[in-house]
Amino acid sequence: MNTNKPTLFLGIEILIKSLQPETISEERKAVLQPLIEFIQSKVSSKQDIRINFICTHNSRRSHLSQVWAQTMAYHFNIKNVFCYSGGTEATALFPMAAKTLENSGFEVRKISEGKNPVYSIKYAANEHPVIGFSKKLDDDFNPKSEFAAIMTCDSANEACPFVSGAEKRIPITFKDPKAFDNTPQQAEKYNERSLQIATELFYIFSKINA
């Protein structure tokens, strides 16, 4: 019996225990089902699982999705999962998105400055951090083939009817918290979106038979 249960940072563990996947509607579950099937097919055939989360600017939703997907794969002990993110254009990882992850229990460290800073985002003491920075979806940092392209925003979904190299292209779109930038509700709305993404990715990975 494998007793080596993955150990996330305590703050993340506490947050995950508070999630309520039972609140996901049947309609939304239907949207999530193609990603469950993609992951399950790869697990069943003992292949690496590559998932590239794509939005317009690779600044908010795609990064939150990338980080939470990598975290949930680890939480459910699903091996050989490699999560990426990209945009139809590159800007920068928005500071409030990084702060939201930090507030959720991740260790977030800025490892380079400039217009497009690079962040180290750790979810567990002994695991490689997610490297967060804004990049185009076809950047050399991202996979060129054998991956699922997850379209996390409507504009990227419309702008990219075809993603080169993707085995599957799956729209799972989220409302943009950017609408609340520089308002009193900013932190609350970023956290709300992060929790939605975490809940849905928890649900997705909970359905995988490893």
Side-chain angles (χ1 to χ4, degrees):
M1 189 171 94
N2 181 10
T3 57
N4 297 325
K5 185 183 184 301
T7 306
L8 294 160
F9 290 135
L10 182 59
I12 303 172
E13 286 276 13
I14 291 168
L15 186 149
I16 286 175
K17 284 177 183 172
S18 75
L19 298 176
Q20 297 178 300
E22 67 276 6
T23 62
I24 300 170
S25 70
E26 292 303 315
E27 183 181 30
R28 187 65 176 174
K29 284 178 182 177
V31 172
L32 305 177
Q33 187 61 31
L35 181 52
I36 295 171
E37 291 169 2
F38 174 82
I39 296 169
Q40 187 63 63
S41 71
K42 293 292 184 181
V43 169
S44 299
S45 57
K46 295 182 168 53
Q47 292 180 286
D48 289 346
I49 302 149
R50 298 181 188 87
I51 309 171
N52 193 1
F53 294 92
I54 297 165
C55 67
T56 304
H57 299 115
N58 191 210
S59 57
R60 296 169 176 81
R61 290 163 287 179
S62 50
H63 276 110
L64 293 172
S65 300
Q66 175 190 7
V67 171
W68 276 119
Q70 198 70 63
T71 302
M72 293 305 177
Y74 181 76
H75 175 72
F76 285 104
N77 211 12
I78 310 297
K79 304 293 188 186
N80 302 316
V81 177
F82 304 96
C83 297
Y84 306 85
S85 66
T88 54
E89 57 186 274
T91 54
L93 198 168
F94 192 66
M96 192 67 216
K99 186 66 179 171
T100 300
L101 290 168
E102 188 174 18
N103 291 342
S104 300
F106 293 87
E107 272 186 11
V108 179
R109 188 161 61 94
K110 194 184 283 187
I111 54 179
S112 84
E113 298 288 344
K115 290 182 179 177
N116 186 7
V118 178
Y119 293 82
S120 161
I121 305 164
K122 288 197 77 168
Y123 52 87
N126 289 340
E127 295 303 303
H128 195 281
V130 175
I131 304 301
F133 67 99
S134 186
K135 70 205 85 66
K136 292 185 75 171
L137 60 95
D138 59 355
D139 188 275
D140 286 342
F141 207 77
N142 288 338
K144 301 301 179 193
S145 63
E146 299 177 341
F147 66 93
I150 310 303
M151 317 310 288
T152 64
C153 77
D154 288 326
S155 56
N157 187 34
E158 290 162 12
C160 297
F162 172 78
V163 177
S164 178
E167 274 183 44
K168 281 248 185 179
R169 181 190 171 283
I170 305 169
I172 302 178
T173 62
F174 302 97
K175 289 183 179 174
D176 195 351
K178 180 182 180 180
F180 296 92
D181 286 357
N182 304 311
T183 74
Q185 300 152 283
Q186 183 182 37
E188 175 196 346
K189 290 298 181 180
Y190 272 77
N191 187 56
E192 185 181 291
R193 190 60 57 241
S194 179
L195 286 175
Q196 180 200 355
I197 290 168
T199 301
E200 293 187 358
L201 285 161
F202 178 96
Y203 170 78
I204 286 165
F205 280 96
S206 75
K207 295 296 181 184
I208 305 305
N209 296 312

